[in-house]
Amino acid sequence: MGLIFCLEKTSRDTRARLGKLVTSHGEVSTPVFMPVGTQGTVKAVTPDELTDIGFRLILANMYHLYLRPGPEVIREAGGLHRFMNWPGSILTDSGGYQVFSLSPLRDIVEDGVTFRSHLDGSTHFLTPEKVVETQEALGADIIMPLDECVPYPCEREYVQAAAERTIRWAQRCREAKSREDQALFGIVQGGVYLDLRVKNAQDLVGVGFDGYAVGGLSVGEPAELMYQVLEETVPVLPKDQPRYLMGVGTPDHLIEGVLRGIDMFDCVFPTRVARNGTALTWQGKVVVRNAAFARDFAPLDSECRCYTCSNFSRAYLRHLFKAREILGPRLVTIHNLYFLFELMKKIREAIRMDCLESFRREFYRRYYGTENYPK
Amino acid sequence: MGLIFCLEKTSRDTRARLGKLVTSHGEVSTPVFMPVGTQGTVKAVTPDELTDIGFRLILANMYHLYLRPGPEVIREAGGLHRFMNWPGSILTDSGGYQVFSLSPLRDIVEDGVTFRSHLDGSTHFLTPEKVVETQEALGADIIMPLDECVPYPCEREYVQAAAERTIRWAQRCREAKSREDQALFGIVQGGVYLDLRVKNAQDLVGVGFDGYAVGGLSVGEPAELMYQVLEETVPVLPKDQPRYLMGVGTPDHLIEGVLRGIDMFDCVFPTRVARNGTALTWQGKVVVRNAAFARDFAPLDSECRCYTCSNFSRAYLRHLFKAREILGPRLVTIHNLYFLFELMKKIREAIRMDCLESFRREFYRRYYGTENYPK
């Protein structure tokens, strides 16, 4: 097996846990946030800038890399790590979510899914076996099975059928898998129907995977429903294996996810808002173009020790965004990724010190300006 | 005075020279190429990336910074060096060329020039005194006087009037200048009329400046005319002061300029073509999107030791450009700037070894694939 997970601690009062993921590309402390390198590059930054911040595990999208440059190019390059020159670990998403969110057409049958490329309209057919084969060509440390992601809201009957198909597809993925150095996770589906989630998680655990993802969340449902799903689903998952909440990455969702037993997260949130000029600070979001910053020569966040805050002022960053200079998105991306890395580090420290709930209270007060947070 | 120029060597067989420029922000070996940071950032790269390559002197545009963010913001920031966090030296262009090339309206009278902002259409009036005042607010190490840049072709009578006005404006700039830590260059104009160029250079030297620029070239005239202008103009300029050929930066023009006695150059060429996916290599230009590179896992240039060539393949760079990822322009910008830095280093070595003409022959053969070069 290509993945070792060491559970180091479980909180006394919550489900939060500390752990280590070990792949052939190194060690990662959990809970961990994975930056998203959709097309084989975390947008606007180099691999070096990611390792300088502290990241050792990133996500890439099979769907995008399958369409461009294609798995054969990456296989010939010696795998995705070498292609993009990333020395750390990689998790590749299976494409289930992208087929659901990006393709102008999709047709799901038992054997697999037909979809149209969002790039050129060409038609493709993905099966569970093809998804494993493609991810074996890419060579990520952790790979995901083909799943069917349903929208919110969605009728119970359809959700149930999709969740059951997801199990059958996951089983086929497990059978198709041939590389020993890659770990395969299962993906729990079931929408916001708590009993379907529980059943789906049980069935998936019955098949047996190297880790378990909770998918199909953060697709428009109220946060409270997402938290409920986690509260019901996570206890079904094996304690000694990693749990991954897919597509989640705002600070509140990260904290709430950790409190509910999640070990891994990924989201485009920090990098996407950075390119639009929104910086995350310990005092909340900052809109870099804000006219108030025209002559503000302080850093984005006076507490932050990232490269951007160590070297550049709000006034300069505002100028870069007003002038549409590439350096603007670059510098705010570095800052936002650093912020989320630090947030996860503080979360891990708080778990270690058994004070995650007081950390949460303080964080919500400063970042969101509220004393209210989910029960 | 804010500038020391040490002439270290003049070639036996050509006018090429080796020197050192010393400002309060450090020392620069000449002949030197200055990357262009139009809006207070060399597009797509950080100051650190520039110093890592070896650059110690860059150019910024007064015209752009005057319009946005405005000189007062930069003065309050503590000057342009601090605003953009650039530890090296800066030369600011006066805006004469930008008024000529960017403004949708310009009206030149003896007192100065009225122009419309290319950003918002607002009307501005720049005088020689205002140009000095603005550049004193920016605080560059070397500043340029307001000049009138004429197009090519252009009637002799108009060229002469513009060149004479440029002298009077330069004199007013000299009188307006109040900071002792900034050097002021004169700009020779006169189009492609050799006698006008000579007269203009003589008059400018009569006024007396800290260095001399040759302006109004590389505006569409045949290269041979540019070389002729240099051959006639440069001998008029004082040997013990730096000579700067404005807006020039293709490899052939750099080599030919050095052979004709030029010490300093600037151009957007390497950074602009990089963003369009053209890389400069010792074997000539390379179009990164070229389909032939789809499975080419070699670096852009096997001789190059830049960050990009040390870490990424042609296939990956092609993928980044096809996928419109910011990292593509970033990495090719670094490569192209490194290439021009290395070219200037090789040129300096060749001058030191008295072999610049054989270097030129070899360079033209490999880069341009020709045995022909200007006499």
Side-chain angles (χ1 to χ4, degrees):
Chain A
M1 191 186 104
L3 184 74
I4 299 167
F5 179 66
C6 309
L7 182 62
E8 295 181 344
K9 173 174 180 168
T10 302
S11 267
R12 285 181 309 208
D13 310 321
T14 72
R15 293 206 176 111
R17 11 195 274 154
L18 278 181
K20 287 253 188 298
L21 276 174
V22 188
T23 78
S24 57
H25 289 92
E27 195 179 287
V28 179
S29 297
T30 61
V32 64
F33 174 80
M34 300 181 278
V36 177
T38 307
Q39 307 195 92
T41 161
V42 175
K43 286 187 195 301
V45 297
T46 60
D48 289 323
E49 286 163 344
L50 293 172
T51 51
D52 286 351
I53 293 171
F55 290 109
R56 297 291 179 267
L57 168 60
I58 63 171
L59 177 141
N61 286 111
M62 189 219 79
Y63 170 87
H64 289 89
L65 296 170
Y66 164 82
L67 292 177
R68 184 174 59 196
E72 285 316 309
V73 167
I74 294 177
R75 189 206 300 272
E76 272 184 49
L80 185 55
H81 298 80
R82 285 187 64 181
F83 185 60
M84 66 180 291
N85 195 37
W86 169 247
S89 302
I90 302 176
L91 181 150
T92 41
D93 192 356
S94 67
Y97 178 75
Q98 282 72 35
V99 166
F100 155 75
S101 64
L102 291 178
S103 174
L105 165 144
R106 67 204 155 92
D107 181 30
I108 296 163
V109 295
E110 184 58 25
D111 195 32
V113 55
T114 303
F115 69 96
R116 280 231 184 105
S117 162
H118 69 292
L119 299 176
D120 62 6
S122 57
T123 301
H124 300 264
F125 184 60
L126 279 185
T127 61
E129 292 75 15
K130 183 76 177 278
V131 156
V132 166
E133 182 195 326
T134 303
Q135 289 181 94
E136 290 192 339
L138 302 182
D141 303 276
I142 303 173
I143 66 175
M144 304 300 291
L146 185 63
D147 61 334
E148 183 180 352
C149 199
V150 297
Y152 174 84
C154 185
E155 275 181 19
R156 181 184 170 93
E157 210 167 306
Y158 190 84
V159 174
Q160 182 165 6
E164 288 170 358
R165 186 159 40 232
T166 292
I167 297 277
R168 293 191 296 274
W169 284 357
Q171 187 142 23
R172 281 167 59 189
C173 284
R174 216 191 98 148
E175 283 154 19
K177 181 177 179 303
S178 69
R179 277 180 69 158
E180 290 295 315
D181 59 342
Q182 295 183 303
L184 175 68
F185 280 26
I187 304 178
V188 180
Q189 291 289 353
V192 294
Y193 300 97
L194 301 181
D195 59 324
L196 293 186
R197 284 279 178 181
V198 168
K199 176 72 166 57
N200 201 244
Q202 286 166 340
D203 290 350
L204 210 58
V205 172
V207 178
F209 293 90
D210 301 319
Y212 294 88
V214 185
L217 291 176
S218 201
V219 292
E221 78 285 359
E224 291 65 36
L225 276 181
M226 177 169 87
Y227 301 150
Q228 275 180 31
V229 168
L230 294 181
E231 281 155 22
E232 297 296 315
T233 308
V234 168
V236 180
L237 303 176
K239 285 198 166 40
D240 58 348
Q241 289 186 287
R243 304 151 177 177
Y244 160 31
L245 177 53
M246 302 182 83
V248 160
T250 55
D252 53 345
H253 292 181
L254 293 171
I255 294 173
E256 301 305 326
V258 168
L259 281 164
R260 287 158 181 80
I262 297 296
D263 306 303
M264 302 164 67
F265 302 87
D266 81 281
C267 195
V268 297
F269 166 73
T271 45
R272 179 171 291 168
V273 301
R275 294 195 304 284
N276 292 327
T278 296
L280 314 177
T281 79
W282 297 101
Q283 290 75 44
K285 285 187 193 173
V286 160
V287 176
V288 175
R289 287 169 200 266
N290 195 323
F293 297 154
R295 289 160 189 241
D296 185 340
F297 302 107
L300 278 176
D301 188 337
S302 57
E303 290 172 52
C304 181
R305 301 184 65 175
C306 81
Y307 175 75
T308 303
C309 288
S310 305
N311 289 288
F312 303 97
S313 66
R314 291 171 163 194
Y316 183 62
L317 293 169
R318 176 176 190 267
H319 168 65
L320 293 177
F321 270 91
K322 297 282 283 182
R324 293 198 183 79
E325 287 283 356
I326 293 177
L327 190 56
R330 272 190 68 178
L331 293 176
V332 180
T333 297
I334 288 175
H335 170 82
N336 282 1
L337 286 173
Y338 187 95
F339 176 83
L340 277 202
F341 186 84
E342 285 295 302
L343 175 62
M344 297 313 290
K345 200 159 100 182
K346 284 176 197 282
I347 287 173
R348 292 194 299 270
E349 282 160 14
I351 299 172
R352 198 174 302 282
M353 310 288 282
D354 285 308
C355 63
L356 184 55
E357 289 187 295
S358 63
F359 173 82
R360 165 167 71 164
R361 190 179 316 119
E362 181 65 9
F363 182 84
Y364 271 75
R365 194 183 59 71
R366 296 187 64 200
Y367 187 94
Y368 292 110
T370 178
E371 306 282 333
N372 296 323
Y373 45 84
K375 286 283 142 39
Chain B
M1 192 188 103
L3 185 72
I4 298 167
F5 179 67
C6 308
L7 181 63
E8 294 180 344
K9 172 173 181 167
T10 302
S11 267
R12 285 181 309 207
D13 310 320
T14 72
R15 293 206 177 111
R17 8 191 279 151
L18 278 181
K20 287 252 187 300
L21 276 174
V22 188
T23 78
S24 57
H25 289 91
E27 196 179 286
V28 179
S29 296
T30 62
V32 64
F33 174 80
M34 300 180 278
V36 177
T38 307
Q39 307 195 91
T41 162
V42 175
K43 287 186 195 302
V45 296
T46 61
D48 289 324
E49 286 163 344
L50 293 172
T51 53
D52 285 352
I53 293 171
F55 290 109
R56 297 291 179 267
L57 168 61
I58 63 171
L59 177 141
N61 286 111
M62 189 220 79
Y63 170 88
H64 290 88
L65 296 170
Y66 163 83
L67 292 176
R68 185 175 58 195
E72 285 315 311
V73 167
I74 294 177
R75 189 205 300 274
E76 271 183 51
L80 184 56
H81 298 79
R82 285 187 63 182
F83 185 61
M84 67 181 290
N85 195 38
W86 169 247
S89 303
I90 302 176
L91 180 150
T92 41
D93 191 356
S94 67
Y97 178 76
Q98 282 71 35
V99 166
F100 154 76
S101 63
L102 291 179
S103 174
L105 165 144
R106 66 200 156 94
D107 182 31
I108 295 163
V109 294
E110 184 59 25
D111 195 31
V113 55
T114 303
F115 69 95
R116 279 228 186 107
S117 162
H118 70 291
L119 299 175
D120 62 5
S122 57
T123 301
H124 299 264
F125 184 60
L126 278 184
T127 61
E129 292 76 16
K130 183 75 177 278
V131 157
V132 167
E133 183 195 324
T134 303
Q135 288 182 93
E136 291 192 338
L138 301 182
D141 303 276
I142 302 173
I143 66 176
M144 304 299 291
L146 186 63
D147 62 333
E148 183 179 352
C149 200
V150 298
Y152 174 85
C154 185
E155 276 182 17
R156 180 184 170 93
E157 210 166 307
Y158 189 83
V159 174
Q160 181 166 7
E164 288 171 358
R165 187 159 39 232
T166 291
I167 298 278
R168 293 191 296 275
W169 284 357
Q171 186 142 23
R172 281 167 59 190
C173 284
R174 215 190 99 150
E175 282 154 18
K177 180 176 179 301
S178 69
R179 278 180 67 159
E180 290 295 315
D181 60 341
Q182 293 183 304
L184 175 67
F185 279 25
I187 304 177
V188 181
Q189 291 289 354
V192 295
Y193 301 97
L194 302 180
D195 58 325
L196 293 186
R197 283 279 178 180
V198 168
K199 176 73 166 60
N200 200 245
Q202 287 167 339
D203 291 349
L204 210 57
V205 172
V207 178
F209 293 90
D210 301 320
Y212 294 88
V214 185
L217 291 177
S218 202
V219 292
E221 78 285 359
E224 291 65 34
L225 275 182
M226 177 169 88
Y227 301 151
Q228 275 180 30
V229 167
L230 294 180
E231 280 156 21
E232 297 296 315
T233 308
V234 168
V236 180
L237 304 175
K239 288 197 164 39
D240 58 349
Q241 289 185 285
R243 304 152 178 178
Y244 162 30
L245 177 54
M246 302 181 83
V248 161
T250 54
D252 52 345
H253 291 181
L254 292 171
I255 294 172
E256 301 304 327
V258 168
L259 281 165
R260 286 158 181 81
I262 297 295
D263 307 302
M264 303 163 67
F265 303 87
D266 80 282
C267 196
V268 296
F269 166 72
T271 45
R272 180 170 290 167
V273 301
R275 294 195 305 284
N276 292 327
T278 296
L280 314 177
T281 79
W282 298 101
Q283 290 76 43
K285 285 187 193 174
V286 160
V287 175
V288 175
R289 288 169 199 266
N290 195 323
F293 297 155
R295 289 160 189 241
D296 184 340
F297 301 108
L300 278 176
D301 188 337
S302 58
E303 290 172 52
C304 181
R305 302 185 64 175
C306 82
Y307 175 75
T308 304
C309 288
S310 305
N311 290 287
F312 303 98
S313 66
R314 291 171 164 195
Y316 184 62
L317 293 169
R318 175 175 191 268
H319 168 65
L320 293 177
F321 270 91
K322 297 281 284 181
R324 294 199 183 77
E325 287 283 355
I326 292 178
L327 191 56
R330 273 190 67 179
L331 293 176
V332 179
T333 297
I334 287 174
H335 171 82
N336 282 1
L337 286 173
Y338 187 94
F339 176 83
L340 277 202
F341 186 85
E342 285 295 302
L343 175 61
M344 297 312 290
K345 200 159 101 182
K346 285 176 196 281
I347 287 174
R348 291 194 300 271
E349 281 161 13
I351 299 172
R352 198 175 300 283
M353 310 289 283
D354 285 308
C355 62
L356 184 55
E357 290 188 294
S358 63
F359 173 82
R360 166 168 69 165
R361 189 180 317 119
E362 182 65 9
F363 182 84
Y364 271 75
R365 194 183 59 73
R366 296 187 64 200
Y367 186 95
Y368 293 109
T370 177
E371 307 281 334
N372 295 323
Y373 44 85
K375 286 283 141 40

Short mmCIF file of all heavy atoms in Angstrom, two decimals, chain B residues 148-169:
data_model
loop_
_atom_site.label_atom_id
_atom_site.label_comp_id
_atom_site.label_asym_id
_atom_site.label_seq_id
_atom_site.Cartn_x
_atom_site.Cartn_y
_atom_site.Cartn_z
N GLU B 148 10.78 65.65 -26.98
CA GLU B 148 9.76 65.43 -27.99
C GLU B 148 10.24 64.37 -28.95
O GLU B 148 11.26 64.53 -29.63
CB GLU B 148 9.43 66.72 -28.76
CG GLU B 148 8.30 66.44 -29.75
CD GLU B 148 7.86 67.65 -30.56
OE1 GLU B 148 8.32 68.76 -30.26
OE2 GLU B 148 7.07 67.44 -31.50
N CYS B 149 9.51 63.28 -28.98
CA CYS B 149 9.87 62.14 -29.80
C CYS B 149 9.07 62.25 -31.09
O CYS B 149 7.84 62.37 -31.06
CB CYS B 149 9.47 60.88 -29.03
SG CYS B 149 10.29 59.40 -29.57
N VAL B 150 9.73 62.24 -32.26
CA VAL B 150 9.01 62.37 -33.53
C VAL B 150 8.87 61.00 -34.17
O VAL B 150 9.68 60.11 -33.90
CB VAL B 150 9.71 63.36 -34.49
CG1 VAL B 150 9.75 64.76 -33.87
CG2 VAL B 150 11.10 62.88 -34.86
N PRO B 151 7.86 60.82 -34.99
CA PRO B 151 7.68 59.52 -35.65
C PRO B 151 8.68 59.32 -36.77
O PRO B 151 9.44 60.24 -37.11
CB PRO B 151 6.26 59.61 -36.21
CG PRO B 151 6.00 61.06 -36.41
CD PRO B 151 6.80 61.79 -35.37
N TYR B 152 8.68 58.12 -37.34
CA TYR B 152 9.44 57.86 -38.56
C TYR B 152 8.47 57.39 -39.62
O TYR B 152 7.70 56.48 -39.32
CB TYR B 152 10.53 56.81 -38.34
CG TYR B 152 11.21 56.43 -39.64
CD1 TYR B 152 12.26 57.19 -40.12
CD2 TYR B 152 10.74 55.35 -40.41
CE1 TYR B 152 12.87 56.87 -41.32
CE2 TYR B 152 11.34 55.04 -41.61
CZ TYR B 152 12.41 55.80 -42.06
OH TYR B 152 13.01 55.50 -43.26
N PRO B 153 8.45 57.92 -40.83
CA PRO B 153 9.28 59.06 -41.25
C PRO B 153 8.69 60.38 -40.77
O PRO B 153 7.52 60.43 -40.38
CB PRO B 153 9.22 58.96 -42.78
CG PRO B 153 7.92 58.29 -43.08
CD PRO B 153 7.62 57.40 -41.91
N CYS B 154 9.46 61.44 -40.86
CA CYS B 154 9.01 62.75 -40.41
C CYS B 154 9.81 63.81 -41.15
O CYS B 154 11.02 63.64 -41.39
CB CYS B 154 9.23 62.87 -38.90
SG CYS B 154 8.59 64.38 -38.16
N GLU B 155 9.15 64.90 -41.53
CA GLU B 155 9.82 65.96 -42.29
C GLU B 155 10.95 66.61 -41.51
O GLU B 155 10.83 66.89 -40.33
CB GLU B 155 8.81 67.07 -42.61
CG GLU B 155 7.99 66.78 -43.84
CD GLU B 155 7.03 67.93 -44.14
OE1 GLU B 155 7.25 69.03 -43.59
OE2 GLU B 155 6.09 67.70 -44.90
N ARG B 156 12.00 66.92 -42.24
CA ARG B 156 13.20 67.47 -41.63
C ARG B 156 12.90 68.71 -40.80
O ARG B 156 13.41 68.87 -39.69
CB ARG B 156 14.20 67.82 -42.74
CG ARG B 156 15.49 68.42 -42.19
CD ARG B 156 16.44 68.87 -43.30
NE ARG B 156 17.51 69.64 -42.69
CZ ARG B 156 18.66 69.10 -42.29
NH1 ARG B 156 18.89 67.83 -42.46
NH2 ARG B 156 19.58 69.86 -41.72
N GLU B 157 12.04 69.57 -41.34
CA GLU B 157 11.78 70.83 -40.66
C GLU B 157 11.18 70.59 -39.27
O GLU B 157 11.56 71.22 -38.29
CB GLU B 157 10.80 71.65 -41.50
CG GLU B 157 10.97 73.14 -41.37
CD GLU B 157 10.20 73.84 -42.48
OE1 GLU B 157 10.42 73.49 -43.67
OE2 GLU B 157 9.35 74.69 -42.16
N TYR B 158 10.21 69.65 -39.23
CA TYR B 158 9.57 69.37 -37.95
C TYR B 158 10.55 68.71 -36.99
O TYR B 158 10.61 69.04 -35.80
CB TYR B 158 8.33 68.48 -38.11
CG TYR B 158 7.59 68.42 -36.80
CD1 TYR B 158 6.69 69.43 -36.45
CD2 TYR B 158 7.86 67.41 -35.88
CE1 TYR B 158 6.07 69.42 -35.21
CE2 TYR B 158 7.24 67.40 -34.65
CZ TYR B 158 6.34 68.40 -34.32
OH TYR B 158 5.75 68.41 -33.09
N VAL B 159 11.36 67.78 -37.53
CA VAL B 159 12.34 67.08 -36.70
C VAL B 159 13.30 68.09 -36.08
O VAL B 159 13.62 68.04 -34.88
CB VAL B 159 13.13 66.06 -37.54
CG1 VAL B 159 14.25 65.44 -36.71
CG2 VAL B 159 12.20 64.97 -38.07
N GLN B 160 13.72 69.05 -36.88
CA GLN B 160 14.67 70.06 -36.39
C GLN B 160 14.05 70.90 -35.27
O GLN B 160 14.67 71.12 -34.23
CB GLN B 160 15.11 70.96 -37.55
CG GLN B 160 16.11 72.01 -37.12
CD GLN B 160 16.82 72.68 -38.29
OE1 GLN B 160 16.47 72.44 -39.46
NE2 GLN B 160 17.82 73.49 -37.99
N ALA B 161 12.80 71.35 -35.50
CA ALA B 161 12.13 72.17 -34.48
C ALA B 161 11.97 71.38 -33.19
O ALA B 161 12.21 71.90 -32.09
CB ALA B 161 10.76 72.61 -35.01
N ALA B 162 11.59 70.10 -33.33
CA ALA B 162 11.39 69.26 -32.13
C ALA B 162 12.71 69.04 -31.40
O ALA B 162 12.78 69.07 -30.17
CB ALA B 162 10.78 67.91 -32.53
N ALA B 163 13.78 68.83 -32.16
CA ALA B 163 15.10 68.59 -31.55
C ALA B 163 15.57 69.83 -30.81
O ALA B 163 16.14 69.75 -29.72
CB ALA B 163 16.10 68.16 -32.62
N GLU B 164 15.33 70.98 -31.41
CA GLU B 164 15.77 72.23 -30.76
C GLU B 164 14.95 72.50 -29.49
O GLU B 164 15.48 72.93 -28.47
CB GLU B 164 15.68 73.39 -31.75
CG GLU B 164 16.78 73.29 -32.81
CD GLU B 164 16.63 74.28 -33.97
OE1 GLU B 164 15.64 75.04 -33.97
OE2 GLU B 164 17.50 74.29 -34.86
N ARG B 165 13.64 72.20 -29.60
CA ARG B 165 12.80 72.37 -28.40
C ARG B 165 13.24 71.40 -27.31
O ARG B 165 13.27 71.74 -26.12
CB ARG B 165 11.34 72.12 -28.76
CG ARG B 165 10.38 72.44 -27.63
CD ARG B 165 8.96 72.68 -28.12
NE ARG B 165 8.62 71.77 -29.20
CZ ARG B 165 8.13 72.16 -30.38
NH1 ARG B 165 7.89 73.44 -30.63
NH2 ARG B 165 7.87 71.27 -31.31
N THR B 166 13.63 70.19 -27.71
CA THR B 166 14.10 69.20 -26.74
C THR B 166 15.31 69.74 -25.96
O THR B 166 15.43 69.51 -24.75
CB THR B 166 14.43 67.88 -27.47
OG1 THR B 166 13.20 67.31 -27.94
CG2 THR B 166 15.11 66.89 -26.55
N ILE B 167 16.19 70.45 -26.66
CA ILE B 167 17.36 71.05 -25.98
C ILE B 167 16.89 72.09 -24.96
O ILE B 167 17.35 72.11 -23.81
CB ILE B 167 18.27 71.77 -27.00
CG1 ILE B 167 18.84 70.79 -28.01
CG2 ILE B 167 19.38 72.54 -26.26
CD1 ILE B 167 20.03 70.04 -27.53
N ARG B 168 15.97 72.98 -25.39
CA ARG B 168 15.51 74.03 -24.46
C ARG B 168 14.80 73.40 -23.26
O ARG B 168 14.99 73.84 -22.13
CB ARG B 168 14.57 75.00 -25.20
CG ARG B 168 15.28 75.83 -26.28
CD ARG B 168 14.41 76.96 -26.82
NE ARG B 168 13.21 76.51 -27.52
CZ ARG B 168 13.15 76.16 -28.81
NH1 ARG B 168 14.25 76.21 -29.57
NH2 ARG B 168 12.02 75.78 -29.36
N TRP B 169 14.02 72.36 -23.51
CA TRP B 169 13.35 71.68 -22.40
C TRP B 169 14.38 71.01 -21.47
O TRP B 169 14.22 71.01 -20.25
CB TRP B 169 12.37 70.62 -22.94
CG TRP B 169 11.08 71.19 -23.49
CD1 TRP B 169 10.70 72.50 -23.48
CD2 TRP B 169 10.02 70.44 -24.09
NE1 TRP B 169 9.46 72.63 -24.06
CE2 TRP B 169 9.00 71.38 -24.44
CE3 TRP B 169 9.81 69.11 -24.39
CZ2 TRP B 169 7.81 71.00 -25.06
CZ3 TRP B 169 8.61 68.73 -25.00
CH2 TRP B 169 7.62 69.67 -25.34
#
